[in-house]
Amino acid sequence: AQKVTQAQTEISVVEKEDVTLDCVYETRDTTYYLFWYKQPPSGELVFLIRRNSFDEQNEISGRYSWNFQKSTSSFNFTITASQVVDSAVYFCALGSGTYKYIFGTGTRLKVLA
Amino acid sequence: DGGITQSPKYLFRKEGQNVTLSCEQNLNHDAMYWYRQDPGQGLRLIYYSQIVNDFQKGDIAEGYSVSREKKESFPLTVTSAQKNPTAFYLCASSIGIGQAFMFSNQPQHFGDGTRLSIL
């Protein structure tokens, strides 16, 4: 069975702190892909990153970085020097060759000024 | 700009009434999806469509119906059989579902959502 676990329900940090959001996934597929989405209070889902299973390179985009480790089935997301605008719910999702996209339950990040 | 448009933003349903949520995309995507989001939970798939005139049930299809008469449009009807319809509904699209999507770097694109409540 496929599963995505985001164990952190809510995280609060003070502005400029670094924060890591955890994502652990389960799948028997050898080829799969992982996403992170941001959901601000307005509700829309904003795409942040997609990583395919055959590409284990970590990625940095500005203050955002992602650490993909197949050995531990994790795809963690780090925000460096957090800002109030980063406050949102963040979802990790897993997909494979079928229609099935499995979303985690999300982590609510609150960045306090 | 290309994107997905959902309407209305807010919708109220009376007991026993069917309501239809609109989803239109101009991304030329073949695949479209409907998700339901409840407070504090992730997204659950209601229906998906890989191509015009074809659609499949997702995990929670009971009480919902869809149609895919045009590539651009994938409306969702919440029927009176859905006893707990209050939720946030998100429509999404992608270039495909199979190999083309698997080996691309494209995501599912989402609309802004429709919040449905019971009167």
Side-chain angles (χ1 to χ4, degrees):
Chain A
Q2 295 190 317
K3 186 178 178 181
V4 174
T5 301
Q6 294 181 256
Q8 303 152 309
T9 305
E10 185 169 312
I11 301 175
S12 293
V13 298
V14 177
E15 208 170 17
K16 298 184 183 177
E17 283 186 5
D18 298 347
V19 58
T20 296
L21 310 182
D22 298 332
C23 174
V24 175
Y25 62 92
E26 295 176 30
T27 181
R28 293 181 180 175
D29 294 333
T30 54
T31 303
Y32 53 89
Y33 38 88
L34 297 157
F35 298 95
W36 274 97
Y37 284 90
K38 173 182 180 180
Q39 187 176 44
S42 50
E44 76 275 19
L45 279 175
V46 178
F47 167 71
L48 297 177
I49 190 172
R50 166 179 171 156
R51 177 59 70 229
N52 297 332
S53 58
F54 44 85
D55 178 5
E56 289 191 67
Q57 273 191 325
N58 291 322
E59 183 156 335
I60 298 174
S61 176
R63 296 184 297 106
Y64 296 169
S65 62
W66 290 269
N67 184 1
F68 177 31
Q69 295 212 347
K70 289 178 78 170
S71 60
T72 56
S73 296
S74 65
F75 186 43
N76 296 339
F77 171 33
T78 298
I79 301 175
T80 303
S82 60
Q83 299 176 2
V84 173
V85 293
D86 296 326
S87 297
V89 180
Y90 291 85
F91 288 98
C92 180
L94 166 70
S96 66
T98 69
Y99 69 90
K100 200 83 169 172
Y101 295 78
I102 305 298
F103 283 81
T105 51
T107 296
R108 181 177 299 277
L109 174 64
K110 292 184 178 180
V111 181
L112 307 172
Chain B
D1 286 352
I4 300 177
T5 301
Q6 288 188 243
S7 62
K9 195 170 180 66
Y10 299 96
L11 187 59
F12 298 92
R13 194 192 89 169
K14 294 180 181 178
E15 292 288 339
Q17 186 183 44
N18 293 352
V19 292
T20 297
L21 285 60
S22 170
C23 177
E24 303 276 332
Q25 54 100 356
N26 61 3
L27 299 166
N28 199 33
H29 284 170
D30 285 318
M32 296 187 74
Y33 315 79
W34 272 106
Y35 291 91
R36 170 178 170 141
Q37 185 180 18
D38 293 284
Q41 297 191 31
L43 280 66
R44 293 184 290 168
L45 184 66
I46 304 172
Y47 268 98
Y48 70 103
S49 168
Q50 298 186 61
I51 199 168
V52 174
N53 293 323
D54 180 69
F55 49 83
Q56 305 294 330
K57 292 181 179 180
D59 297 320
I60 55 167
E62 186 174 348
Y64 300 98
S65 66
V66 293
S67 63
R68 186 87 187 275
E69 296 176 1
K70 298 186 301 182
K71 187 175 185 177
E72 305 79 23
S73 179
F74 191 40
L76 173 74
T77 296
V78 184
T79 74
S80 57
Q82 173 49 248
K83 297 306 178 188
N84 183 23
T86 298
F88 188 54
Y89 292 86
L90 284 157
C91 179
S93 72
S94 66
I95 60 171
I97 288 179
Q99 295 292 310
F101 183 74
M102 173 68 79
F103 295 103
S104 76
N105 277 313
Q106 296 298 308
Q108 278 191 345
H109 294 264
F110 283 83
D112 289 348
T114 294
R115 199 166 296 279
L116 176 62
S117 302
I118 291 288
L119 278 178

